Amino acid sequence: MHGSSLILHCVNKSVADPSLVPHRRSPRFFAGIPGSSRLQTRNRSGGRNRIQTPTFVLPFCERPKDSWEMTSERDVFSISGPIHLSSSLNWNCAHHRRSVAACLVQSVYILERDRQELREGPEALGPAWWESFHFELSRKLVDDADFSIFGAIFEYKPPTYIATIANAPRFVIAFRGTIIKVESVNRDLALDLHLMKNSLHQTTRFELAMQAVHNMVAAVGSSNIWLAGHSLGSAVASLAARNMARTGTLLEAYLFNPPFFSAPIGKIKDQRVKHGIRLANSLVTAGLSYVLKSRQEESSLEVPFVTLSSWVPNLFVNPSDHICSEYIGYFEHRRNMEDLGVGIIEKLATQNSLGDIFLRAIGKESDPLHLLPSAKLTVNLSPSPDFKWAHGIHQWWRPDLHLQTRTYLYS
């Protein structure tokens, strides 16, 4: 045994020692035993054996020898999914709609992990995440650079005894975020860099996503489609929806932990200092925006922003997640400026960022995704043990969340 690795040989479906069979019902069966040098098994008499160097044959698999190590409990719907919704789904409930959208995004993550870990047929973990809510996988969206699955189109096909609900989508197009696995990490991190530079729209992955969205809207209409994404995937979904909104087509969007790259002003404890920094930033941004606007065609900066005002995406953020938490301050500060009677300044500042102004000034195209005129912002105020949890997709289908939701409309 090397370190904490567990070697499981899977050949010929024969059993080297029939008395040694892992607990199939135990969550440890799915998660492997990371960090452990022992495997607990049960013998025929009901007693337990501890094996220091387990090397035996499993009768029910033919996977690579390290596949058990890579499988996580978090990928198993029966362990980590909202199984309580499977039999009581209510499309009129905001919690249920959010949970299903998050699960379909999780489905894309697991589709790609199934691909990487060669899990097929009954061994695949992905189907449970969409079939539990009566969805079918209509199409996988595959990246042209590394052939990873970055998105999927799901079609809602409930059984005949379930009445049609107006708030149920017909199709959901979901996009995953970054996966830190060797088969996909290079491409995902390269796209993260494009996102930070406001150039995600120039990538072939986004072009594939945009084409899929456009084709689905043309085929079934915008009212029948949801977009959903997490982290990098929420940026892809947001950018696609923004492009459609500029043509007058409004799509319902569920954006989980959407990136907002900015200084973490929200982490400042002193409210006066925090407000002062935001006010100074607004004054500088508004001033530079006015100068830039005077050098370009009248209202050329404002028109693209205003055209998005009727699109109201659902944003889900966690204040402990520094990648998305600045959305809270972005919208709260705009409301505070309006209360102070200086909304005209913030109205100009909220349409631009300093980085965007700099790029425009040197003649480069920029489309910062985090600048949104309107949104329904849901903040998870439940305690988060660490950043990984705060940025994770799993939090969004928990039934015990402490959520605060506010709608911000640009006018």
Side-chain angles (χ1 to χ4, degrees), residues 60-327:
F60 37 77
C61 77
E62 289 182 349
R63 302 189 202 168
K65 65 180 181 180
D66 59 344
S67 63
W68 299 113
E69 299 172 42
M70 295 186 291
T71 303
S72 168
E73 293 178 9
R74 297 170 69 85
D75 288 353
V76 182
F77 182 82
S78 61
I79 297 176
S80 298
I83 55 177
H84 60 287
L85 295 183
S86 300
S87 58
S88 60
L89 182 58
N90 178 7
W91 288 107
N92 293 314
C93 175
H95 165 63
H96 289 197
R97 294 197 302 273
R98 182 191 71 247
S99 298
V100 172
C103 284
L104 293 178
V105 174
Q106 170 72 347
S107 298
V108 183
Y109 277 107
I110 301 178
L111 273 171
E112 171 58 14
R113 286 197 278 266
D114 280 345
R115 184 192 72 87
Q116 292 186 15
E117 299 172 22
L118 304 180
R119 296 191 298 240
E120 298 178 349
E123 302 296 339
L125 300 178
W129 289 90
W130 62 80
E131 291 176 354
S132 298
F133 307 111
H134 308 299
F135 281 87
E136 293 181 3
L137 178 61
S138 176
R139 177 187 167 195
K140 301 174 185 176
L141 301 179
V142 179
D143 193 284
D144 63 338
D146 64 356
F147 304 105
S148 65
I149 300 169
F150 70 88
I153 301 175
F154 301 98
E155 183 177 3
Y156 183 53
K157 288 190 173 182
T160 55
Y161 62 82
I162 296 181
T164 302
I165 305 297
N167 286 328
R170 181 177 171 189
F171 290 91
V172 177
I173 308 175
F175 305 96
R176 66 167 176 83
T178 303
I179 293 181
I180 308 298
K181 294 286 187 180
V182 66
E183 294 90 344
S184 56
V185 66
N186 289 340
R187 175 62 167 166
D188 286 353
L189 292 181
L191 291 165
D192 289 332
L193 184 59
H194 276 285
L195 177 59
M196 295 176 67
K197 297 189 298 182
N198 294 328
S199 60
L200 185 62
H201 59 287
Q202 299 174 350
T203 65
T204 56
R205 176 177 291 188
F206 172 70
E207 291 175 356
L208 291 169
M210 188 70 246
Q211 184 180 33
V213 172
H214 185 272
N215 291 344
M216 287 301 303
V217 170
V220 301
S222 59
S223 62
N224 294 309
I225 298 173
W226 286 7
L227 299 186
H230 173 251
S231 194
L232 172 61
S234 71
V236 173
S238 176
L239 185 53
R242 286 162 67 101
N243 286 353
M244 298 302 296
R246 286 176 177 141
T247 67
T249 300
L250 305 181
L251 297 174
E252 188 162 350
Y254 292 81
L255 309 178
F256 301 97
N257 302 84
F260 190 121
F261 295 110
S262 173
I265 301 175
K267 298 297 182 182
I268 299 174
K269 301 299 182 182
D270 192 306
Q271 293 297 320
R272 291 178 299 176
V273 173
K274 179 162 57 177
H275 180 66
I277 292 175
R278 293 195 189 281
L279 178 60
N281 182 71
S282 293
L283 292 172
V284 172
T285 303
L288 292 176
S289 298
Y290 180 80
V291 172
L292 185 59
K293 180 179 178 180
S294 66
R295 294 182 179 182
Q296 299 183 4
E297 296 180 7
E298 185 67 22
S299 300
S300 62
L301 294 177
E302 185 176 2
V303 170
F305 193 81
V306 173
T307 57
L308 293 176
S309 60
S310 56
W311 175 58
V312 186
N314 298 280
L315 271 59
F316 303 94
V317 305
N318 189 310
S320 298
D321 175 12
H322 62 265
I323 291 178
C324 68
S325 61
E326 194 56 26
Y327 270 111

